[in-house]
Coordinates of all heavy atoms in Angstrom, one line a residue:
A48 N -92.3 -36.7 15.8 CA -92.2 -37.3 17.2 C -91.1 -36.7 18.0 O -91.3 -36.5 19.3 CB -92.0 -38.8 17.1
E49 N -90.0 -36.3 17.4 CA -88.9 -35.7 18.2 C -89.4 -34.3 18.8 O -89.2 -34.0 19.9 CB -87.7 -35.4 17.3 CG -87.1 -36.7 16.9 CD -86.0 -36.4 15.7 OE1 -85.9 -35.3 15.4 OE2 -85.5 -37.4 15.2
R50 N -90.1 -33.6 18.0 CA -90.6 -32.4 18.4 C -91.7 -32.4 19.5 O -91.7 -31.7 20.5 CB -91.2 -31.6 17.1 CG -91.7 -30.2 17.5 CD -90.6 -29.2 17.8 NE -91.0 -27.9 18.0 CZ -90.6 -27.1 19.0 NH1 -89.4 -27.5 19.7 NH2 -91.0 -25.9 19.1
V51 N -92.5 -33.5 19.3 CA -93.6 -33.7 20.5 C -92.8 -34.0 21.7 O -93.2 -33.4 22.8 CB -94.5 -34.9 20.0 CG1 -95.3 -35.2 21.2 CG2 -95.3 -34.4 18.8
K52 N -91.8 -34.8 21.6 CA -91.0 -35.2 23.0 C -90.4 -33.9 23.4 O -90.3 -33.7 24.7 CB -90.0 -36.2 22.5 CG -89.2 -36.7 23.7 CD -88.2 -37.8 23.4 CE -87.5 -38.2 24.6 NZ -86.6 -39.3 24.3
E53 N -89.8 -33.1 22.6 CA -89.1 -31.8 23.1 C -90.2 -31.0 23.8 O -89.8 -30.5 24.9 CB -88.5 -31.2 21.9 CG -87.8 -30.0 22.3 CD -87.1 -29.2 21.0 OE1 -87.3 -29.8 19.9 OE2 -86.3 -28.3 21.2
L54 N -91.3 -30.8 23.2 CA -92.4 -29.9 23.7 C -92.9 -30.5 25.0 O -93.1 -29.8 26.0 CB -93.5 -29.7 22.8 CG -93.1 -28.8 21.6 CD1 -94.2 -28.8 20.6 CD2 -92.8 -27.4 22.0
A55 N -92.9 -31.9 25.2 CA -93.3 -32.5 26.4 C -92.3 -32.2 27.6 O -92.7 -31.9 28.7 CB -93.5 -34.0 26.2
Q56 N -91.0 -32.2 27.2 CA -90.0 -31.9 28.3 C -90.2 -30.5 28.7 O -90.0 -30.2 29.8 CB -88.6 -32.2 27.7 CG -88.4 -33.7 27.4 CD -87.0 -33.9 26.7 OE1 -86.5 -33.1 26.0 NE2 -86.6 -35.2 26.8
I57 N -90.4 -29.5 27.7 CA -90.5 -28.1 28.1 C -91.7 -28.0 28.9 O -91.7 -27.3 30.1 CB -90.6 -27.3 26.8 CG1 -89.3 -27.3 26.0 CG2 -91.0 -25.8 27.2 CD1 -89.5 -26.6 24.7
A58 N -92.8 -28.6 28.7 CA -93.9 -28.5 29.5 C -93.8 -29.0 30.8 O -94.3 -28.5 31.9 CB -95.2 -29.3 28.8
N59 N -93.0 -30.1 31.0 CA -92.7 -30.6 32.3 C -91.9 -29.6 33.2 O -92.1 -29.4 34.3 CB -92.0 -32.0 32.2 CG -92.9 -33.1 31.8 OD1 -94.1 -33.0 32.1 ND2 -92.3 -34.1 31.3
R60 N -90.9 -28.9 32.4 CA -90.3 -27.9 33.1 C -91.1 -26.6 33.6 O -91.0 -26.2 34.7 CB -89.1 -27.4 32.2 CG -87.9 -28.4 32.0 CD -86.8 -27.7 31.3 NE -85.9 -28.8 30.9 CZ -85.8 -29.2 29.6 NH1 -86.4 -28.6 28.7 NH2 -85.0 -30.2 29.2
V61 N -92.0 -26.4 32.7 CA -93.0 -25.3 33.0 C -93.7 -25.7 34.4 O -94.0 -24.9 35.3 CB -93.9 -25.0 31.9 CG1 -95.1 -24.1 32.4 CG2 -93.2 -24.3 30.9
R62 N -94.2 -27.0 34.4 CA -95.0 -27.5 35.4 C -94.2 -27.4 36.7 O -94.6 -27.0 37.8 CB -95.3 -28.9 35.3 CG -96.6 -29.1 34.3 CD -97.1 -30.6 34.2 NE -98.0 -30.6 33.2 CZ -97.6 -31.1 32.0 NH1 -96.3 -31.4 31.6 NH2 -98.6 -31.2 30.9
K63 N -92.9 -27.8 36.7 CA -92.0 -27.7 37.8 C -91.9 -26.3 38.3 O -91.9 -26.0 39.5 CB -90.6 -28.3 37.4 CG -89.7 -28.3 38.6 CD -88.4 -28.9 38.1 CE -87.3 -28.7 39.3 NZ -85.9 -29.1 38.9
N64 N -91.8 -25.4 37.4 CA -91.7 -23.9 37.7 C -92.9 -23.4 38.4 O -92.9 -22.6 39.3 CB -91.4 -23.1 36.6 CG -90.0 -23.3 36.1 OD1 -89.1 -23.7 36.9 ND2 -89.7 -22.9 34.9
V65 N -94.1 -23.9 37.9 CA -95.5 -23.5 38.5 C -95.5 -23.9 40.0 O -95.8 -23.3 40.8 CB -96.5 -24.1 37.7 CG1 -97.9 -24.0 38.4 CG2 -96.7 -23.4 36.4
L66 N -95.1 -25.3 40.1 CA -95.2 -25.9 41.5 C -94.1 -25.2 42.4 O -94.4 -24.9 43.6 CB -95.0 -27.3 41.5 CG -96.1 -28.1 40.8 CD1 -95.6 -29.7 40.7 CD2 -97.4 -28.0 41.5
T67 N -93.0 -24.8 41.9 CA -92.0 -24.2 42.8 C -92.4 -22.8 43.2 O -92.2 -22.4 44.3 CB -90.7 -24.1 42.1 OG1 -90.2 -25.5 41.7 CG2 -89.6 -23.4 42.8
G68 N -93.1 -22.1 42.2 CA -93.5 -20.7 42.5 C -94.6 -20.8 43.5 O -94.6 -19.9 44.5
V69 N -95.6 -21.7 43.4 CA -96.6 -21.8 44.3 C -96.2 -22.2 45.8 O -96.6 -21.6 46.7 CB -97.7 -22.7 43.8 CG1 -98.8 -23.0 45.0 CG2 -98.5 -22.2 42.6
F70 N -95.2 -23.1 45.8 CA -94.6 -23.6 47.0 C -93.9 -22.4 47.7 O -94.1 -22.2 48.9 CB -93.7 -24.7 46.9 CG -93.1 -25.2 48.1 CD1 -93.7 -26.0 49.0 CD2 -91.7 -24.8 48.4 CE1 -93.2 -26.4 50.2 CE2 -91.1 -25.2 49.6 CZ -91.9 -26.0 50.5
N71 N -93.0 -21.6 46.9 CA -92.3 -20.6 47.5 C -93.2 -19.4 48.0 O -92.9 -18.7 49.0 CB -91.3 -20.1 46.5 CG -90.1 -21.1 46.3 OD1 -89.9 -22.0 47.1 ND2 -89.5 -21.0 45.2
A72 N -94.3 -19.2 47.2 CA -95.2 -18.1 47.7 C -96.0 -18.5 48.9 O -96.6 -17.8 49.6 CB -96.1 -17.8 46.5
K73 N -96.1 -19.9 49.1 CA -96.9 -20.4 50.2 C -98.4 -20.0 50.2 O -99.0 -19.9 51.1 CB -96.3 -20.1 51.6 CG -95.0 -20.5 51.9 CD -94.5 -20.6 53.1 CE -93.1 -20.9 53.5 NZ -92.2 -21.3 52.4
C74 N -98.8 -19.8 48.9 CA -100.3 -19.5 48.8 C -100.4 -19.8 47.3 O -99.6 -19.8 46.4 CB -100.6 -18.1 49.1 SG -100.0 -16.9 48.1
G75 N -101.7 -19.9 46.9 CA -102.1 -20.0 45.4 C -102.6 -21.4 45.2 O -102.5 -22.4 46.0
H76 N -103.2 -21.7 44.0 CA -103.7 -22.9 43.5 C -103.1 -23.1 42.2 O -103.4 -22.4 41.2 CB -105.2 -22.7 43.5 CG -105.9 -24.1 43.1 ND1 -105.8 -25.2 43.9 CD2 -106.5 -24.4 41.9 CE1 -106.5 -26.2 43.2 NE2 -106.8 -25.7 42.1
P77 N -102.4 -24.3 42.1 CA -101.7 -24.5 40.8 C -102.6 -25.2 39.7 O -102.2 -25.4 38.6 CB -100.6 -25.5 41.1 CG -101.0 -26.1 42.4 CD -101.9 -25.2 43.0
G78 N -103.7 -25.6 40.1 CA -104.6 -26.4 39.1 C -104.8 -25.8 37.8 O -104.5 -26.4 36.8
G79 N -105.2 -24.5 37.6 CA -105.4 -24.0 36.4 C -104.1 -23.8 35.6 O -104.2 -24.1 34.4
S80 N -103.1 -23.4 36.3 CA -101.7 -23.4 35.5 C -101.2 -24.7 35.0 O -100.7 -24.8 33.9 CB -100.7 -22.7 36.4 OG -101.1 -21.4 36.8
L81 N -101.4 -25.7 35.9 CA -101.1 -27.1 35.5 C -101.9 -27.6 34.2 O -101.4 -28.5 33.4 CB -101.0 -28.0 36.7 CG -100.1 -27.7 37.7 CD1 -100.2 -28.6 38.8 CD2 -98.6 -27.8 37.2
S82 N -103.2 -27.3 34.3 CA -104.1 -27.8 33.4 C -103.8 -27.3 31.9 O -104.1 -27.9 31.0 CB -105.5 -27.7 33.7 OG -105.9 -26.4 33.7
I83 N -103.4 -26.1 31.8 CA -103.3 -25.4 30.5 C -101.8 -25.5 30.0 O -101.6 -25.0 28.9 CB -103.8 -24.0 30.6 CG1 -104.0 -23.2 29.2 CG2 -102.7 -23.1 31.4 CD1 -105.2 -23.9 28.5
T84 N -101.0 -26.0 30.7 CA -99.5 -26.0 30.4 C -99.3 -26.6 29.0 O -98.5 -26.0 28.3 CB -98.6 -26.8 31.4 OG1 -98.9 -26.2 32.8 CG2 -97.2 -26.9 31.1
D85 N -99.8 -27.7 28.7 CA -99.5 -28.4 27.4 C -99.9 -27.5 26.2 O -99.1 -27.3 25.2 CB -100.2 -29.8 27.2 CG -99.6 -30.8 28.1 OD1 -98.3 -30.8 28.2 OD2 -100.2 -31.6 28.6
V86 N -101.2 -26.9 26.4 CA -101.7 -26.0 25.3 C -100.8 -24.8 25.1 O -100.4 -24.5 24.0 CB -103.0 -25.6 25.6 CG1 -103.6 -24.5 24.5 CG2 -104.0 -26.9 25.6
L87 N -100.5 -24.1 26.2 CA -99.5 -22.9 26.2 C -98.2 -23.3 25.6 O -97.6 -22.4 24.9 CB -99.6 -22.2 27.4 CG -100.9 -21.7 27.9 CD1 -100.8 -20.8 29.3 CD2 -101.4 -20.6 26.9
T88 N -97.6 -24.4 26.0 CA -96.3 -24.7 25.5 C -96.3 -24.9 24.0 O -95.5 -24.4 23.4 CB -95.9 -26.0 26.2 OG1 -95.8 -25.8 27.6 CG2 -94.5 -26.5 25.7
V89 N -97.2 -25.6 23.5 CA -97.3 -25.7 22.1 C -97.5 -24.4 21.4 O -96.9 -24.1 20.4 CB -98.5 -26.7 21.6 CG1 -98.6 -26.7 20.1 CG2 -98.1 -28.1 22.1

Side-chain angles (χ1 to χ4, degrees):
E49 295 169 2
R50 183 68 176 143
V51 171
K52 184 177 178 181
E53 184 179 4
L54 289 171
Q56 290 172 346
I57 293 170
N59 285 335
R60 288 188 194 107
V61 170
R62 285 185 192 94
K63 181 181 175 185
N64 290 337
V65 166
L66 292 174
T67 300
V69 170
F70 178 80
N71 289 337
K73 298 193 181 3
C74 69
H76 180 69
S80 300
L81 294 175
S82 68
I83 197 71
T84 299
D85 290 322
V86 173
L87 292 179
T88 298
V89 170

